[in-house]
Amino acid sequence: WEVLERAVAGGYAGRIVFSSAADWRDTIAPPVDRERLQLMRTADVLVLDDLGSGRIGEWEKECLLGVIDERWANERPVVITFNVESLRETLGERIASRLADKPTSVEITGDDRRRTS
């Protein structure tokens, strides 16, 4: 997030779409928000925060594949934060293979930054 804030402060004018895990679930819950999904497919940068924080069913994977596949095919960046051991196990082979194409991975270790004590 810090990188995107600095980019905007430095004059980056691209369209950035941020989606928390809750936003993502709301977007694909019936009735599916097709306008929001299209925005996620075409934004200059898409941020999916805390992906995999809840159970990921087949419907969610299919919706996510549509977004990720479109972004991958058009070489649009996606920033994903997650707290799972394996995206491949969590999201499946098709999504994981697209995300694994030329990634920049950053592992953040240490104490949970959300804890206040």
Side-chain angles (χ1 to χ4, degrees), residues 43-104:
D44 296 307
V45 178
L46 173 63
V47 179
L48 297 174
D49 185 40
D50 216 4
L51 191 63
S53 62
R55 184 183 154 282
I56 306 236
E58 290 306 311
W59 170 251
E60 190 166 357
K61 288 178 188 177
E62 286 302 314
C63 292
L64 185 59
L65 177 62
V67 171
I68 297 299
D69 189 55
E70 175 79 16
R71 298 193 67 75
W72 173 77
N74 291 287
E75 299 182 348
R76 293 185 185 110
V78 59
V79 176
I80 298 174
T81 66
F82 59 93
N83 232 0
V84 295
E85 288 294 318
S86 169
L87 278 181
R88 192 167 302 280
E89 289 178 22
T90 303
L91 302 177
E93 183 64 36
R94 293 168 64 197
I95 295 170
S97 70
R98 285 156 178 82
L99 293 175
D101 186 24
K102 301 180 228 160
T104 299

